[in-house]
Amino acid sequence: MNVRQRWVSFMGRVLLSLIFVISGITKLLDPAGTIAYIESAHLPLPQIAYAVALFVELGLGIALLVGFRSQLAAAGIAIFTFVTALTFHSNMADPVQVIMFLKNITIIGGLLVVIAFGPGGYSVDKGKRLVLNQ
């Protein structure tokens, strides 16, 4: 991997993780509002869903950011993002929700690249790739 590839893959990983880290911080600062939003989607166990969201967005988001176990972090975030798209953005009659759904699907695409090719440059993983299917 040359210097350009290291920097571009690093920046891609940072940018991909930012939406989750920022969203997690927002949830951490407003637990009541977040739980009320989860309740408005009629999800069971909103407090547990809140804890899962914090773990994924902050825990796995930061892991992806620094490139620690990045393939597992990306896989966990991808599953969470897919469930979130189906749960919160499934009203295809609302153009805004269609855009939000497609945004989530697009993010999953970026996460799949991390799962397939690893963290790229400048990561805690140091380019080591976890082999998920052997």
Side-chain angles (χ1 to χ4, degrees):
M1 181 179 294
N2 64 37
V3 173
R4 177 184 49 83
Q5 290 169 324
R6 281 195 297 273
W7 276 105
V8 170
S9 61
F10 168 71
M11 289 307 300
R13 198 180 70 243
V14 167
L15 293 172
L16 189 56
S17 67
L18 280 181
I19 192 169
F20 298 101
V21 174
I22 292 169
S23 182
I25 291 168
T26 301
K27 285 175 177 59
L28 188 63
L29 296 175
D30 185 18
T34 302
I35 291 169
Y37 181 64
I38 294 167
E39 287 171 338
S40 76
H42 307 292
L43 291 178
L45 307 169
Q47 291 83 5
I48 293 174
Y50 172 73
V52 168
L54 282 181
F55 171 75
V56 171
E57 292 183 353
L58 283 177
L60 298 182
I62 290 170
L64 181 63
L65 175 70
V66 301
F68 175 73
R69 305 283 303 216
S70 55
Q71 290 171 300
L72 285 177
I77 295 169
I79 292 166
F80 173 81
T81 302
F82 184 69
V83 171
T84 301
L86 294 177
T87 304
F88 293 99
H89 307 302
S90 60
N91 180 4
M92 295 300 147
D94 180 352
V96 172
Q97 291 305 313
V98 171
I99 291 169
M100 297 297 282
F101 182 86
L102 292 172
K103 171 209 42 114
N104 281 26
I105 299 305
T106 302
I107 290 168
I108 292 167
L111 292 165
L112 290 175
V113 172
V114 174
I115 294 166
F117 297 104
Y122 309 110
S123 69
V124 173
D125 290 344
K126 296 180 183 162
K128 296 177 195 166
R129 294 195 180 110
L130 175 65
V131 179
L132 297 176
N133 60 353
Q134 283 188 344

